[in-house]
């Protein structure tokens, strides 16, 4: 019998340690990886055969050791953490803290996690650190080579303004680099809430989505392009963004990313410091918002015959949540926070099915 990891054991990502310490020393896991139940079922995902529709989105899989760990635990679509065209250190600690949402745009720090993983909600404020191109040229192929049949690797990329070329050109440059490193699936992150506004708000503009996605898709052809987007509360704007993505040549959309909120201490001070008033919130508190996003996006994709594949993430912390996301319209369902606190999550799903 597989026992739930949380809350009797610490998370595999140690939130008290820096990103670099987790990169070099993690994942922090002392258990035994159980044998996966046999299954002959497969799904087609952008030309790749997957053993299951379960995966991990961009975020917790920091290098090939992390992607291999997730794949061995039954997550069949794993995403290599977002890379840039240059080495970037990201934000200092704290990067993750436990929080309690107190509104749709506000959250408050709490000292201890809730008693149920189902309710676990945290911030996610890293600033998209990235290793050097030299390291990535070795590590991305290693991550890909370690996968078993029926598994696939996505490499997440982002552009950075003021790097000697235009913002769009740096997106393209980073995507082409990922392709040269061996990526067979590439995700462009248009929606990180923990970086400068220009980097994190592209997905809110249909014109920008079309311009950037078209340039990237052409540059990496025939590698499929996935767009990572955030919450769009206006259904008409969401429809326009999805139409732009399809016209531009993107083949899939992944959402939603963590939701930006103002996070404070119990006393009302900025929990992450004066220069980070807002941060991305992920985990159980955004699950209903993610499901709403999927239902709306699925409706537009179907009604407008856009041909986009829909990927769902945001608050999956229990095995039955995967089914909820698939029923809401996602072809694959991905978990980051849930996987970090309960790495047996996929195995428990496989055993139940």
């Amino acid at each position: 019998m597989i026992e739930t990891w949380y809350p009797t054991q610490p998370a595999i990502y140690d939130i008290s340690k820096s990103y670099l310490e987790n990169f070099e020393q993690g994942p922090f896991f002392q258990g035994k990886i159980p044998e996966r139940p046999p299954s002959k079922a497969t799904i087609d995902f952008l030309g790749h055969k997957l053993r299951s529709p379960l995966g991990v989105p961009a975020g917790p899989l920091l290098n090939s050791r992390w992607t291999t760990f997730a794949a061995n635990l039954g997550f069949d679509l794993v995403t290599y953490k977002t890379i840039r065209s240059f080495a970037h250190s990201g934000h200092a600690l704290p990067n993750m803290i436990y929080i309690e949402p107190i509104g749709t745009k506000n959250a408050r720090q709490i000292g201890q996690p809730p008693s149920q993983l189902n309710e676990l909600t945290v911030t996610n404020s890293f600033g998209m650190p990235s290793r050097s191109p030299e390291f990535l040229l070795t590590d991305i192929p290693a991550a890909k080579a370690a996968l078993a049949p029926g598994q696939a690797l996505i490499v997440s990329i982002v552009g950075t303004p003021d790097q000697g070329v235009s913002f769009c050109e740096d997106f393209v440059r980073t995507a082409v680099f990922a392709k040269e490193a061996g990526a067979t699936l590439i995700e462009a992150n248009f929606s990180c809430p923990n970086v400068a506004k220009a980097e994190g708000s592209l997905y809110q503009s249909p014109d920008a989505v079309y311009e950037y996605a078209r340039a990237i898709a052409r540059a990496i052809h025939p590698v499929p392009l996935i767009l990572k987007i955030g919450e769009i509360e206006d259904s008409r704007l969401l429809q326009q963004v999805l139409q732009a993505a399809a016209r531009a040549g993107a083949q899939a959309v992944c959402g939603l990313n963590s939701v930006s909120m103002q996070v404070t201490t119990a006393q009302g001070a900025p929990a992450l410091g004066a220069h980070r008033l807002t941060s991305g919130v992920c985990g159980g508190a955004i699950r209903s918002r993610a499901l709403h996003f999927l239902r709306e996006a699925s409706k537009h994709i179907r009604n407008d015959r856009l041909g986009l594949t829909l990927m769902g993430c945001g608050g999956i912390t229990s095995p039955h949540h995967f089914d909820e996301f698939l029923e809401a319209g996602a072809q694959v369902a991905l978990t980051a926070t849930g996987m970090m606190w309960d790495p047996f999550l996929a195995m428990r799903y496989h055993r139940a099915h």
Side-chain angles (χ1 to χ4, degrees):
M1 178 179 179
I2 301 173
E3 297 294 332
T4 303
W5 175 269
Y6 174 90
T8 58
Q9 301 288 337
I12 61 171
Y13 186 100
D14 188 340
I15 65 175
S16 70
K17 297 182 183 294
S18 70
Y19 172 86
L20 185 58
E21 288 174 312
N22 278 277
F23 181 95
E24 294 177 340
Q25 302 169 20
F28 297 95
F29 178 79
Q30 300 298 323
K32 180 180 179 181
I33 295 178
E35 183 177 351
R36 180 170 177 169
S39 173
K40 295 182 179 180
T42 60
I43 65 165
D44 181 79
F45 175 76
L46 303 182
H48 294 265
K49 296 294 184 182
L50 301 180
R51 288 183 65 186
S52 77
L54 274 55
V56 181
L61 307 184
L62 313 186
N63 53 42
S64 61
R65 190 170 60 254
W66 285 78
T67 57
T68 303
F69 174 73
N72 289 341
L73 280 163
F75 295 95
D76 293 320
L77 184 63
V78 294
T79 308
Y80 196 100
K81 185 169 174 62
T82 308
I83 66 170
R84 298 179 184 263
S85 60
F86 61 101
H88 178 62
S89 59
H91 296 328
L93 286 172
N95 298 130
M96 299 185 77
I97 58 175
Y98 298 111
I99 63 165
E100 174 188 29
I102 53 176
T104 59
K105 300 294 183 181
N106 302 89
R108 180 172 53 218
Q109 182 178 9
I110 56 176
Q112 297 294 327
S115 59
Q116 299 295 322
L117 180 61
N118 189 57
E119 302 170 357
L120 175 70
T121 305
V122 296
T123 58
N124 170 4
S125 181
F126 292 93
M128 285 192 287
S130 180
R131 306 303 290 174
S132 71
E134 293 76 18
F135 174 86
L136 296 171
L137 279 172
T138 299
D139 199 55
I140 290 174
K144 181 179 174 183
L147 298 181
Q151 297 183 324
L153 175 76
I154 299 170
V155 176
S156 173
I157 66 99
V158 72
T160 311
D162 304 319
Q163 297 303 309
V165 295
S166 72
F167 189 18
C168 182
E169 287 170 333
D170 194 60
F171 256 105
V172 171
R173 177 167 63 182
T174 311
V176 169
F177 170 83
K179 179 182 178 182
E180 293 172 346
T184 51
L185 295 162
I186 292 176
E187 177 183 273
N189 188 350
F190 284 3
S191 62
C192 183
N194 301 308
V195 292
K197 185 175 181 180
E199 295 174 76
S201 59
L202 282 176
Y203 74 98
Q204 299 179 43
S205 166
D207 290 340
V209 167
Y210 177 76
E211 176 190 355
Y212 284 58
R214 183 170 181 263
I216 298 168
R218 287 185 168 187
I220 65 173
H221 181 79
V223 174
L225 173 63
I226 303 162
L227 302 184
K228 183 71 170 287
I229 68 174
E231 186 175 39
I232 300 176
E233 297 180 70
D234 184 326
S235 184
R236 175 57 180 157
L237 178 58
L238 174 59
Q239 181 183 30
Q240 292 171 341
V241 166
L242 294 171
Q243 290 171 342
R247 290 200 318 272
Q251 295 190 28
V253 170
C254 182
L256 52 84
N257 206 338
S258 54
V259 177
S260 181
M261 293 188 188
Q262 184 172 350
V263 182
T264 62
T265 65
Q267 293 74 36
L272 300 176
H275 299 292
R276 280 188 283 167
L277 300 180
T278 62
S279 62
V281 170
C282 45
I286 71 168
R287 184 165 50 254
S288 62
R289 295 164 76 159
L291 288 167
H292 175 75
F293 163 85
L294 287 174
R295 294 184 185 107
E296 288 295 301
S298 178
K299 177 185 68 176
H300 293 310
I301 291 170
R302 181 177 60 255
N303 291 346
D304 294 344
R305 300 180 180 179
L306 299 179
L308 292 169
T309 294
L310 191 56
M311 305 162 61
C313 59
I316 295 176
T317 57
S318 178
H320 74 272
H321 294 154
F322 289 112
D323 287 327
E324 291 180 5
F325 276 61
L326 297 173
E327 291 166 2
Q331 185 185 18
V332 292
L334 309 100
T335 174
T337 305
M339 176 263 181
M340 294 162 73
W341 269 261
D342 180 8
F344 294 137
L345 200 52
M347 287 295 193
R348 294 198 289 130
Y349 177 92
H350 297 320
R351 182 158 295 184
H353 287 70

